[in-house]
Amino acid sequence: MLRITELRLPLNHPEEALRPAIVARLGIRDEELRGFTVFRRGYDARKKTAIVLIYTLDCELADEAAVARRLADDPHIRPTPDTRYQFVGHAPADFYATERPRPVVIGFGPCGIFSALILAQMGLRPIVLERGKAVRERTQDTWGLWRQRQLNPESNVQFGEGGAGTFSDGKLWSQISDPRHLTRKVLTEFVKAGAPEEILYVSKPHIGTFRLVSMVEKIRAEIIELGGEIRFQQKVTDLLVETRDGERQVRGVMLESSEEIRTDHVVLALGHSARDTFQMLHGRGVQMEAKPFSVGFRIEHPQSLIDRARFGPNAGNAILGAADYKLVHHASNGRGVYSFCMCPGGTVVAATSEVERVVTNGMSQYSRAERNANAGIVVGINPADYRQDPGGSGPVNPLDGMAFQRFWESRAYELGGGGYIAPASLVGDFLKRQRSSALGSVQPSYKPGVQLVHLDQPGRTVLPEYVLDAIREALPAFERQIKGFSMRDAVLTGVETRTSSPLRVNRGKDYQSLNTRGLYPAGEGAGYAGGIMSAGVDGIEVAEAVGRSMLGA
């Protein structure tokens, strides 16, 4: 087949217009086009009154070779690449006939799910250890925090089947380099598990929480059917390491129940909030380093405002859906400010995993039909910003970032008045450095609720002053890109501290820990992904590395 890229048609073109457009683009007769499929459909909204759809199409032709030769100089017409997934190997039927340890996957978020799935599909029968509960039980516990202010530290937005991505917008796109088309493998598995087929071709696919729940369950069932084992409420408390001739080798893990599981291959797919496990690994001497991350607030606007600003008279078009945005500002104090995890038509959610701390995140359902748009407005910070030994020298302790996060999450809890109420302010008052006295036209969606506070109160700021100053400068700059962005009634809710992992568990080109053989740091918590898609891809690549080691491939 031949692939056409950058085929542009008007937003409201009739469906039947696509075939003649392909025929004209290739310069062929209609009967020479035997069939076509849409590989990708995006849009260009730079001219709001003339939004166009941009297609990537795979075409089956009567004489593909002749057309390819004639259009050889056209960069937008090329042979269709092979996006099928190729396994690195498969275990023979008698692989476990003699006693040998099975691979262990710690964590069952997007990275752990795809690592376990690939291992299972290769016949390697992984054992998955997830500290939280199965997804439906976990959902009940999460609602317990949102509605009743009762936190289960082991079953919440961060911990449990599906990981933090379950309670998010369910974004299924990424900017990672993907020469092997591994994102296609992730999307294909999601469709097989019940996701709408449109995620295979729309430019910014998403699923939403409710659909993710049933999909995760179906993937879990496939892993089990292929010989894998999923164990919930199994918290890993120690790593068993053997040292011979100066080389460290994983030999197993210990659970909170004191049970030991022997293994030579451990996939560490923790997620970014498994702070106690990071402390254990640091204590066990696993090499890791402090890394940059970002902190800030969730900002809420009416979704209709964002739609009008982005799409103009085409706001509300069913193909375009609810509008999103991506904003960046370089502040005069040297800080980068940017929008993070934008959730069109969504809600702000309580995302803490620790008692008496407040953390915010964003979530949308598949319909994206809620009244407000929300996004993180966050500021980049570096290890030097959160060093816990002021004046110290040398590398920053990898655990210092967690201490920094905890400090500001506790401050947010205090300013909210307890009960996981979040501190908040109207944008107009924040820009004037004053406390809000009442909400305006934008009603915050955060549950359990918000408390209006003075975000800049001397000695009790809700975040470091350099963060507040950078955001205060960025909001009017964002107004120039999205009219109404700095509207007085828009709401800032704090704090957003878990944008990414505050540390990286170092690994080599073979995906193993630099100083502990058999340990495979993976995904967002280990510092190698950010979001569902990149975490899933990293899980696949790590599973392949484990497979090569076990199968000698």
Side-chain angles (χ1 to χ4, degrees):
M1 290 194 291
L2 289 183
R3 173 165 292 180
I4 303 174
T5 58
E6 291 289 322
L7 182 67
R8 303 166 77 89
L9 290 173
L11 172 62
N12 293 311
H13 73 81
E15 185 176 350
E16 59 270 19
L18 200 50
R19 183 180 181 93
I22 295 171
V23 169
R25 182 70 182 80
L26 294 177
I28 59 176
R29 298 188 305 275
D30 182 80
E31 59 268 24
E32 295 180 81
L33 177 60
R34 292 178 173 172
F36 66 91
T37 57
V38 177
F39 182 79
R40 179 79 70 241
R41 186 191 69 202
Y43 60 80
D44 182 346
R46 287 175 292 180
K47 292 183 179 179
K48 300 180 182 61
T49 58
I51 296 175
V52 297
L53 299 180
I54 306 172
Y55 287 92
T56 298
L57 303 125
D58 292 324
C59 307
E60 184 179 355
L61 308 176
D63 192 345
E64 292 169 12
V67 175
R69 285 193 300 271
R70 177 164 51 83
L71 300 174
D73 294 331
D74 190 328
H76 299 300
I77 298 176
R78 290 287 182 267
T80 298
D82 185 357
T83 61
R84 292 172 298 179
Y85 180 70
Q86 302 293 328
F87 289 94
V88 299
H90 288 87
D94 61 349
F95 188 72
Y96 287 107
T98 57
E99 188 170 331
R100 69 168 79 210
R102 293 157 63 184
V104 167
V105 177
I106 304 176
F108 204 50
C111 180
I113 286 172
F114 277 92
S115 184
L117 179 63
I118 296 299
L119 288 169
Q121 290 175 343
M122 287 193 290
L124 292 173
R125 298 171 50 199
I127 299 171
V128 178
L129 304 173
E130 167 56 54
R131 68 189 293 168
K133 298 181 182 179
V135 68
R136 292 190 186 271
E137 298 174 72
R138 173 198 181 195
T139 300
Q140 293 176 354
D141 291 335
T142 301
W143 281 105
L145 171 61
W146 295 349
R147 292 176 172 173
Q148 302 171 350
R149 306 180 188 179
Q150 296 177 354
L151 171 69
N152 182 336
E154 297 296 335
S155 181
N156 46 62
V157 167
Q158 307 297 345
F159 299 143
E161 183 179 23
T166 302
F167 300 98
S168 71
D169 187 46
K171 295 180 181 65
L172 298 180
W173 73 88
S174 173
Q175 295 180 325
I176 61 172
S177 174
D178 187 25
R180 297 179 54 212
H181 309 288
L182 295 181
T183 53
R184 195 72 176 175
K185 170 67 170 174
V186 174
L187 293 175
T188 300
E189 292 293 346
F190 278 150
V191 170
K192 190 168 71 172
E197 288 198 14
E198 70 177 34
I199 70 171
L200 292 172
Y201 64 85
V202 296
S203 60
K204 292 183 177 180
H206 74 283
I207 299 179
T209 292
F210 289 163
R211 293 201 176 202
L212 275 168
V213 167
S214 61
M215 288 162 49
V216 166
E217 290 179 321
K218 289 179 181 177
I219 295 175
R220 181 219 305 169
E222 179 178 349
I223 293 170
I224 294 172
E225 184 179 355
L226 292 171
E229 181 180 346
I230 318 290
R231 298 175 58 175
F232 296 110
Q233 296 179 270
Q234 301 289 307
K235 182 177 177 180
V236 173
T237 56
D238 205 357
L239 185 70
L240 307 179
V241 179
E242 177 182 88
T243 303
R244 285 188 180 179
D245 301 323
E247 185 173 88
R248 292 157 49 93
Q249 169 67 47
V250 164
R251 291 303 182 204
V253 297
M254 179 175 287
L255 305 181
E256 193 171 39
S257 63
S258 297
E259 178 187 357
E260 292 185 6
I261 298 177
R262 292 290 170 175
T263 181
D264 297 329
H265 299 84
V266 173
V267 176
L268 202 63
L270 299 175
H272 57 42
S273 293
R275 292 167 171 170
D276 47 4
T277 309
F278 289 135
Q279 289 174 305
M280 177 273 289
L281 293 168
H282 187 258
R284 279 285 172 229
V286 174
Q287 185 172 322
M288 56 182 69
E289 63 182 356
K291 64 176 277 292
F293 59 100
S294 301
V295 297
F297 300 100
R298 280 272 145 185
I299 190 168
E300 289 190 86
H301 300 89
Q303 180 62 47
S304 58
L305 180 149
I306 305 301
D307 290 344
R308 288 194 302 272
R310 293 279 284 113
F311 298 146
N314 288 296
N317 183 282
I319 291 178
L320 298 175
D324 62 5
Y325 57 78
K326 184 176 182 180
L327 302 167
V328 178
H329 175 72
H330 299 286
S332 57
N333 66 1
R335 303 285 171 173
V337 188
Y338 63 98
S339 60
F340 169 79
C341 187
M342 195 272 160
C343 297
T347 56
V348 179
V349 298
T352 187
S353 56
E354 295 184 334
V355 175
E356 296 188 352
R357 295 192 169 100
V358 165
V359 180
T360 62
N361 197 6
M363 184 182 86
S364 296
Q365 299 300 344
Y366 176 73
S367 64
R368 289 177 166 173
E370 299 295 332
R371 179 186 308 170
N372 292 347
N374 77 80
I377 300 297
V378 296
V379 177
I381 61 173
N382 297 304
D385 295 317
Y386 57 73
R387 181 188 286 274
Q388 297 297 295
D389 57 335
S393 60
V396 175
N397 188 313
L399 304 183
D400 282 2
M402 298 192 307
F404 177 91
Q405 290 173 321
R406 281 171 163 156
F407 176 87
W408 295 108
E409 292 167 11
S410 295
R411 171 69 60 81
Y413 184 88
E414 295 165 9
L415 292 176
Y420 301 99
I421 302 296
S425 173
L426 301 190
V427 164
D429 295 317
F430 171 67
L431 293 176
K432 294 178 180 178
R433 300 176 184 267
Q434 64 187 29
R435 178 174 181 165
S436 300
S437 58
L439 293 169
S441 61
V442 179
Q443 294 297 306
S445 59
Y446 175 89
K447 301 297 181 186
V450 304
Q451 173 68 45
L452 294 175
V453 303
H454 188 354
L455 300 181
D456 291 271
Q457 183 178 347
R460 284 176 60 78
T461 59
V462 83
L463 284 169
E465 290 184 9
Y466 58 82
V467 171
L468 301 179
D469 290 342
I471 293 175
R472 188 176 291 107
E473 180 184 318
L475 293 175
F478 293 158
E479 171 79 21
R480 293 191 287 273
Q481 299 179 60
I482 297 180
K483 184 175 175 58
F485 198 86
S486 62
M487 65 181 286
R488 180 189 181 278
D489 290 357
V491 177
L492 292 169
T493 304
V495 290
E496 181 102 1
T497 51
R498 304 197 193 176
T499 53
S500 66
S501 181
L503 57 82
R504 177 174 290 107
V505 185
N506 304 108
R507 72 187 186 192
K509 292 182 179 180
D510 60 359
Y511 295 90
Q512 297 187 63
S513 163
L514 291 182
N515 73 338
T516 308
R517 304 294 298 170
L519 182 65
Y520 294 79
E524 194 161 345
Y528 296 99
I532 294 173
M533 289 302 290
S534 60
V537 167
D538 199 60
I540 292 173
E541 293 180 323
V542 166
E544 291 175 338
V546 172
R548 282 190 289 269
S549 174
M550 295 186 69
L551 300 173

